[in-house]
Amino acid sequence: MMAGRSVLHKHWQHYILNRLWQEPVRIFVAMSCVALFAWRHHTVIWTIPLILGIVAAALTDIDDRLTGRLKNIVITLVCFAIATVSVELLFPHPLLFIGGLGLSSWAFIMLGALGQRYATIAFGAILIAIYTMLGIGLFPKWYSQPLFLLAGAGVYYLFTLINHLLFPVRPVEAQLINTYSSLAKYLEAKATLFDPDGVTHSERPLYKVSMANSQLVQQLNIVKTAIQSRLRGDRASSTSRRALLYYFVAQEIHERANSSHIDHPRLQDSWHFNELMFRFERLLRHQAMACREIAESLQTKQDYQHSRHFERALTHAEIALERVSLFAEKETCERLRWLLKNLRAVDQQLASVASEQLSTIDWQNIDTELSFEGLQGWQDIRSRFKSHLTPKSPLFRHAVRVSVVLCLGYLFIQSISLERGYWILLTSLFVCQPNYSATKRRLALRVIGTLAGILIGLPLLWLIPSLPGQLVAIVLFGVLFFLFRQVQYAQATLFITLMVLFCFNLLGEGFNVALPRIIDTLVGCGLAWLAVSYIFPDWHYRQFSKVISKAYTANLRYLKAVTQQYQDGKDNRVSYRIARRDAHNADAELASVIALAENKAWSSLDAKEASFSILCTNHSLLSYIAALGAHRQRIHNPQLLNLLYALTAYVEDYQNLQSDEVMQALKQLTALADSIEIDDEPQKALIIQQVSLIIHNLGEMNKIKAPLLMP
């Protein structure tokens, strides 16, 4: 019994330590302080701007090292002050106000050209401006509401700083946890390619692998940014360097797992009854479980224990492969040997995560440099803005839509004299997303959440008439909003609606704002839908050929970087990692564009089907190049080097060739590969086999790219 209690106590201790830095806890503490202050001093009217200030600050909170956080807070509070004071001063002058609203909202959104940090701050500035509109007339002095909004934001940021000082690395650890969880999902998706009962000649498993890869790449980018910010501030920190090693291990596993040595549909046709299919699938699924165990070890601060089962499973797979090779096709068996070698390399990387191995790493012999993607002077700022000053830029289109929607909403409010109609602007801001599909999805969830919030909220207002009870409800619903906003938008909308109802009930208007809240939500959603449908609609600007070209060009740079390493020797120099990451980012962007596209984005059903095929083909091309990269080492055979350089030259010219020229060039390249005699040198066989797969892949890509030509 005592042992059980000890385990339970330890579990909760780890849970609290891992969650304490997170947003909902800070929200709870900040809102509780505000509610307690309002109750003790009987100043409930102050509660509304203070609470809204906390919400705006929490929505713009950006993880960084201490000096970076301080810089972010100063910039955010300055933007908040400009936004809220401008609204208070210009609000009595409608013509000046609508002009300022349109121009400032466009300018704030365009700040996103400088990076995600500034895009987040810009969103918060627009949000605080609308919150100011909601509270116009609450205070006799014009400066009172801006001060309370800024004070609420300041209270929240104070707790974020305290939390950062107490737990400076917890955000990085949390992102590492997410990274290894995403890596596990990718390995599970990869395992389906070896499912003996899978559907042959189906692109669905490859499509799922592409989408899982897209999510993993995005998460790798997030954790890289988090780690990089810590390394800039504290290069000697052992925890930051340990996190960097976890990141490099995840990268290496990703490259190994992403590698493809064989045409999977053909393997399904010929080998789906063979025990090797079961063994490969089982190994990948167990490696996915190991990644989840690493994530759990980071969560609970326990050492990861690598299972001895892997060595036994790998050995048995090798024995089975040798037995099969006695009667099976030699080339296929050779490809499977390289695949098994990759799985063993993944196993070695998983084993290296054990704490005693990471702690003995020789830092002098590891290139720990990460590429820097922040602002690099005024010239960089100017060039970034200039590159987005065109309707071809999604950011520019989004900025125009948001500014037009907010101005139209304001005109609608003024034309019918709505007293609390600024919920229209708030709804439009949250619902209007950079693309049609995301806006449509969020629109439906917003309406459902608002209706549910009103239906639940009205009885609660009657059941909780006391001031202390209402203040507790405000805090509770505010915390629940932040708990759900990243995972369940409809539920998050429900809780923020309940919080708003109770906030206005402090003024005696809770029941009065219920129906207007529903109407305002519907109007705001309607304006957002009209904006994404008719103001620079995505399907007029989304040119799949450009996205495909970008992915292809990134694959070319990756292939060049791999070829260079076969000439110079293997290392993990930053230029190689950048080329590899850019190729995966471009593949993830292609997957994202296709996943978000609506039927309107395609000129025909054939084009729609071709887009899914090109995604699978591009991901296969990336996987074949990754296999060359995973086994890269210096070679001295001039024929192999000439073959790699010939392949690189052909890939570079591929997009400028006509269809007939492509096929002729492929035949020449195939002839060059066939002219090299394959002997007992494993590396030679690998290179020739991977080049053959790439040649075949390019031929398939040439067949399906025609339907994607859009009007």
Side-chain angles (χ1 to χ4, degrees):
M1 180 67 74
M2 291 298 294
R5 289 179 180 178
S6 177
V7 171
L8 186 62
H9 172 73
K10 193 173 184 179
H11 171 77
W12 279 105
Q13 184 183 35
H14 288 312
Y15 181 83
I16 291 171
L17 287 174
N18 279 276
R19 298 294 181 181
L20 192 59
W21 63 270
Q22 285 191 344
E23 196 176 54
V25 176
R26 298 197 294 268
I27 289 289
F28 173 77
V29 176
M31 285 189 174
S32 296
C33 290
V34 167
L36 184 62
F37 178 83
W39 176 64
R40 290 291 300 273
H41 295 275
H42 304 287
T43 52
V44 292
I45 195 172
W46 295 1
T47 305
I48 296 176
L50 287 170
I51 290 290
L52 294 180
I54 291 172
V55 172
L59 290 173
T60 53
D61 187 31
I62 304 168
D63 174 54
D64 209 334
R65 66 190 191 280
L66 182 59
T67 55
R69 274 190 179 275
L70 291 171
K71 178 184 175 182
N72 294 338
I73 290 171
V74 170
I75 294 174
T76 303
L77 290 177
V78 168
C79 290
F80 278 15
I82 293 172
T84 185
V85 169
S86 298
V87 170
E88 288 283 356
L89 295 179
L90 294 179
F91 196 81
H93 312 286
L95 291 179
L96 290 176
F97 183 83
I98 193 172
L101 177 63
L103 183 62
S104 63
S105 57
W106 180 86
F108 275 129
I109 295 294
M110 288 300 293
L111 276 178
L114 303 182
Q116 185 58 43
R117 174 193 312 270
Y118 296 94
T120 303
I121 293 173
F123 173 83
I126 300 175
L127 182 63
I128 208 76
I130 298 175
Y131 282 164
T132 307
M133 298 176 207
L134 289 171
I136 289 290
L138 287 180
F139 302 93
K141 301 292 186 180
W142 69 269
Y143 54 79
S144 298
Q145 184 178 215
L147 287 176
F148 285 124
L149 287 168
L150 294 174
V155 168
Y156 178 79
Y157 285 135
L158 175 63
F159 286 113
T160 64
L161 289 175
I162 294 172
N163 183 76
H164 180 86
L165 292 172
L166 293 174
F167 307 100
V169 298
R170 290 312 302 158
V172 176
E173 291 176 350
Q175 293 303 339
L176 283 173
I177 291 169
N178 293 338
T179 298
Y180 278 90
S181 296
S182 297
L183 189 56
K185 292 177 182 177
Y186 178 71
L187 289 170
E188 287 173 346
K190 194 80 174 183
T192 61
L193 298 179
F194 298 94
D195 182 2
D197 298 322
V199 181
T200 58
H201 293 296
S202 172
E203 290 179 340
R204 182 165 294 278
L206 269 176
Y207 176 72
K208 290 181 178 179
V209 171
S210 298
M211 299 310 298
N213 182 66
S214 173
Q215 295 171 3
L216 174 57
V217 169
Q218 292 173 18
Q219 182 56 43
L220 284 169
N221 289 335
I222 292 171
V223 74
K224 170 184 171 289
T225 302
I227 294 172
Q228 188 178 54
S229 69
R230 264 63 178 189
L231 290 176
R232 291 203 311 270
D234 185 8
R235 295 184 181 274
S237 169
S238 60
T239 52
S240 296
R241 290 197 169 194
R242 185 178 175 82
L244 182 62
L245 280 181
Y246 272 100
Y247 168 71
F248 283 152
V249 168
Q251 265 197 334
E252 186 68 20
I253 292 175
H254 179 216
E255 182 174 48
R256 293 282 182 176
N258 183 248
S259 302
S260 286
H261 298 81
I262 201 162
D263 186 338
H264 288 284
R266 289 175 59 190
L267 186 67
Q268 281 279 3
D269 280 341
S270 306
W271 291 64
H272 61 280
F273 289 123
N274 194 287
E275 68 169 300
L276 278 173
M277 295 289 284
F278 291 91
R279 291 190 179 278
F280 284 137
E281 182 193 23
R282 188 163 172 265
L283 270 168
L284 281 166
R285 293 196 182 278
H286 277 87
Q287 288 177 344
M289 290 174 59
C291 287
R292 294 192 191 281
E293 289 173 4
I294 292 173
E296 185 178 348
S297 72
L298 288 167
Q299 178 80 32
T300 60
K301 291 189 176 296
Q302 300 292 311
D303 290 342
Y304 165 69
Q305 300 296 325
H306 192 60
S307 174
R308 296 179 181 178
H309 162 81
F310 285 106
E311 182 59 36
R312 184 170 64 253
L314 286 163
T315 301
H316 289 171
E318 289 172 350
I319 294 171
L321 180 55
E322 292 305 316
R323 187 167 57 247
V324 169
S325 65
L326 296 175
F327 56 85
E329 183 184 2
K330 181 180 179 181
E331 182 182 350
T332 303
C333 291
E334 195 62 37
R335 293 178 187 274
L336 292 176
R337 284 193 183 94
W338 283 106
L339 172 60
L340 197 55
K341 184 178 179 180
N342 248 4
L343 291 175
R344 185 172 284 281
V346 170
D347 177 66
Q348 291 170 355
Q349 291 295 324
L350 291 170
S352 74
V353 173
S355 59
E356 62 272 12
Q357 295 184 48
L358 281 180
S359 61
T360 58
I361 293 294
D362 181 8
W363 285 96
Q364 301 299 322
N365 297 320
I366 294 182
D367 182 359
T368 58
E369 181 184 358
L370 293 176
S371 59
F372 179 68
E373 298 170 0
L375 297 176
Q376 300 177 358
W378 288 106
Q379 187 63 34
D380 186 28
I381 293 174
R382 180 183 175 186
S383 63
R384 292 195 189 197
F385 270 121
K386 187 176 180 181
S387 66
H388 285 281
L389 291 176
T390 169
K392 294 181 180 179
S393 165
L395 180 67
F396 178 86
R397 300 198 298 271
H398 183 56
V400 172
R401 290 191 203 110
V402 170
S403 60
V404 170
V405 162
L406 295 183
C407 288
L408 288 177
Y410 176 76
L411 287 174
F412 179 80
I413 293 165
Q414 293 298 312
S415 64
I416 60 175
S417 301
L418 284 177
E419 184 179 359
R420 298 293 183 194
Y422 297 99
W423 292 114
I424 293 174
L425 306 187
L426 192 64
T427 299
S428 298
L429 177 66
F430 276 101
V431 171
C432 190
Q433 298 296 296
N435 62 75
Y436 179 86
S437 299
T439 300
K440 184 178 178 181
R441 183 166 57 249
R442 181 163 284 203
L443 184 151
L445 295 175
R446 186 84 182 184
V447 172
I448 292 170
T450 300
L451 290 174
I454 295 298
L455 291 175
I456 295 172
L458 290 178
L460 287 178
L461 290 177
W462 180 72
L463 291 172
I464 310 175
S466 66
L467 176 60
Q470 293 182 39
L471 291 174
V472 169
I474 290 171
V475 173
L476 175 63
F477 295 136
V479 171
L480 289 173
F481 165 70
F482 282 94
L483 273 172
F484 282 91
R485 73 185 183 94
Q486 297 288 0
V487 291
Q488 296 288 344
Y489 187 72
Q491 286 91 325
T493 303
L494 182 152
F495 292 122
I496 199 67
T497 300
L498 289 169
M499 191 192 84
V500 167
L501 281 178
F502 276 92
C503 279
F504 277 89
N505 199 55
L506 297 178
L507 305 176
E509 300 180 7
F511 291 95
N512 296 332
V513 301
L515 180 60
R517 170 79 170 167
I518 296 174
I519 297 172
D520 293 347
T521 297
L522 294 175
V523 173
C525 288
L527 288 174
W529 178 81
L530 289 172
V532 295
S533 298
Y534 297 103
I535 301 175
F536 295 134
D538 274 358
W539 47 87
H540 288 176
Y541 292 89
R542 182 182 289 138
Q543 299 177 13
F544 284 100
S545 58
K546 289 188 176 181
V547 182
I548 295 167
S549 177
K550 181 179 177 181
Y552 188 86
T553 302
N555 284 336
L556 169 62
R557 288 198 296 269
Y558 186 19
L559 178 60
K560 285 182 175 180
V562 170
T563 301
Q564 191 66 39
Q565 299 238 325
Y566 274 102
Q567 177 175 304
D568 299 340
K570 177 181 177 179
D571 61 51
N572 277 324
R573 69 188 71 167
V574 68
S575 58
Y576 175 80
R577 298 202 308 269
I578 289 174
R580 179 176 63 189
R581 190 195 66 215
D582 287 347
H584 283 287
N585 282 341
D587 183 67
E589 181 183 356
L590 178 61
S592 177
V593 166
I594 291 175
L596 290 173
E598 292 290 316
N599 289 332
K600 295 180 181 179
W602 285 289
S603 57
S604 67
L605 182 60
D606 289 341
K608 179 179 179 179
E609 293 300 322
S611 68
F612 286 96
S613 297
I614 203 73
L615 171 62
C616 297
T617 308
N618 181 78
H619 187 74
S620 295
L621 175 61
L622 175 59
S623 298
Y624 297 148
I625 297 172
L628 282 172
H631 304 289
R632 66 192 186 280
Q633 65 182 42
R634 188 172 185 177
I635 56 175
H636 301 281
N637 189 318
Q639 286 183 302
L640 291 179
L641 284 174
N642 288 337
L643 177 62
L644 287 172
Y645 279 115
L647 175 65
T648 303
Y650 167 73
V651 172
E652 193 165 12
D653 294 336
Y654 173 80
Q655 291 181 299
N656 299 322
L657 298 177
Q658 299 298 321
S659 181
D660 293 341
E661 295 174 322
V662 167
M663 300 311 297
Q664 183 62 33
L666 286 176
K667 289 180 181 178
Q668 295 174 359
L669 201 56
T670 302
L672 179 60
D674 291 341
S675 68
I676 302 175
E677 183 180 351
I678 299 180
D679 49 29
D680 293 333
E681 185 182 344
Q683 197 72 15
K684 180 187 288 189
L686 168 74
I687 293 174
I688 294 174
Q689 289 165 3
Q690 291 306 121
V691 169
S692 300
L693 284 172
I694 292 172
I695 292 171
H696 175 73
N697 179 276
L698 292 172
E700 293 298 313
M701 187 177 291
N702 184 59
K703 293 177 184 178
I704 60 179
K705 68 179 182 179
L708 291 171
L709 298 177
M710 297 186 62

